[in-house]
Amino acid sequence: MWKLDLQLRVRGGAATGRVYRLEAPNLSIGRTSQGVARTTEFIHLDDDTVSRLHADLRWDDSRQKYMLINRSATNPTSVNDVLVDQVELHPGDQIRMGECVCHLEPAEAGEPAQPAYPIAAVTAEETKKLKGPISLTSRPPLFVQVIAGPNGGQKVAITGIVAALGGPTNPQNPPPVGTARWFDQEITLADDALPAHFLSLTWRELLSGFELARTAPHHAEVKVHRNRGGLVWVGLLSAAGPGIVRANDIVSVGSHQFQVVVG
């Protein structure tokens, strides 16, 4: 019979330091729980080099061991530096998924651990029980630093939860009276070709980063550049959904490039 006595400790990659108790006989591991409906238990690794669904853990009662099953076609999984499709795990094993390195070890009583559940598992009824203001506990002082474009060198502290970015506001074409203000900070780029409030930066505490999204249709390409492991990852922001921007990422839009920097 399965019993709770193991945990995964992240020792390498963006999620270093996190500990996940293996609190169920069947779990999935990956970068997001979205669309994973086969199990309710999901270990979320906040690391861009990990696939959305990277691996499964299945408890084998006959062996009293977890079986690790690779689910990623693009980012390989290795155990003790050997590429695997499916393997039996033992305490002390090192599991590598992308740049994320986890160690399987006995669970330590009293040690804080991350919940292995998707955010969507929190019901509306449970949300009502949460009282008091939500404070930002892990967000360092962050700035938008313009590194290319007409206002290159500009550095603006990000003080809000939702910041609007875009070209200058046209005083001759103000928003209609009564229009809801959806942002709490405005960052203006010196480019009349860009509409005002063209992009939004929304702080997401659980992701330790900003959600970047288009708020108005425009032909300008928006790209996010991220340097990880000596390689530059480039993502194109579409109109269909947001992207994530973290400290030191570079965003290019029109003739501008700006970077989110700390301090």
Side-chain angles (χ1 to χ4, degrees):
M1 178 180 290
W2 169 83
K3 57 182 180 180
L4 172 62
D5 62 359
L6 292 170
Q7 64 188 24
L8 284 178
R9 184 185 300 275
V10 184
R11 297 186 180 274
T16 296
R18 290 182 175 254
V19 177
Y20 299 88
R21 297 285 176 85
L22 304 187
E23 297 178 318
N26 298 312
L27 303 103
S28 294
I29 306 173
R31 195 177 71 247
T32 176
S33 59
Q34 182 178 356
V36 181
R38 296 171 301 99
T39 66
T40 56
E41 288 76 27
F42 192 96
I43 296 177
H44 168 72
L45 295 174
D46 187 13
D47 190 316
D48 295 323
T49 65
V50 173
S51 295
R52 290 168 60 87
L53 175 58
H54 203 112
D56 288 331
L57 288 176
R58 297 289 177 262
W59 180 256
D60 188 321
D61 257 338
S62 63
R63 293 186 172 94
Q64 290 289 289
K65 295 285 190 300
Y66 273 106
M67 300 297 295
L68 175 73
I69 303 165
N70 178 49
R71 297 297 307 278
S72 174
T74 55
N75 298 311
T77 302
S78 66
V79 174
N80 302 326
D81 297 323
V82 177
L83 292 177
V84 298
D85 287 321
Q86 180 171 322
V87 68
E88 180 182 287
L89 294 179
H90 303 84
D93 282 349
Q94 174 186 281
I95 305 164
R96 180 182 291 273
M97 294 167 283
E99 293 179 6
C100 183
V101 180
C102 301
H103 284 211
L104 182 67
E105 57 186 39
E108 297 181 18
E111 181 174 20
Q114 306 296 319
Y117 304 112
I119 297 171
V122 180
T123 65
E125 205 53 43
E126 291 169 328
T127 303
K128 292 178 183 177
K129 299 176 183 177
L130 300 175
K131 297 180 179 179
I134 298 174
S135 60
L136 298 176
T137 56
S138 62
R139 171 170 154 177
L142 293 168
F143 296 80
V144 165
Q145 172 81 60
V146 180
I147 56 179
N151 51 347
Q154 177 186 9
K155 186 176 182 181
V156 180
I158 306 175
T159 58
I161 302 300
V162 182
L165 293 92
T169 303
N170 185 351
Q172 297 180 348
N173 187 26
V177 176
T179 301
R181 184 183 172 97
W182 51 265
F183 53 89
D184 54 15
Q185 183 181 5
E186 185 176 5
I187 300 175
T188 301
L189 302 174
D191 189 343
D192 293 331
L194 292 176
H197 315 150
F198 161 57
L199 296 171
S200 65
L201 275 176
T202 305
W203 177 254
R204 298 300 185 194
E205 181 78 0
L206 292 176
L207 297 175
S208 298
F210 288 95
E211 187 177 82
L212 177 69
R214 291 175 179 265
T215 58
H218 195 264
H219 60 79
E221 273 194 343
V222 181
K223 294 181 179 179
V224 179
H225 308 254
R226 179 171 300 155
N227 193 324
R228 295 291 297 275
L231 298 174
V232 177
W233 301 65
V234 181
L236 181 64
L237 185 70
S238 72
I244 297 298
V245 175
R246 295 192 173 89
N248 299 319
D249 285 354
I250 294 175
V251 179
S252 60
V253 49
S255 61
H256 288 270
Q257 281 194 336
F258 65 85
Q259 186 173 27
V260 176
V261 297
V262 178

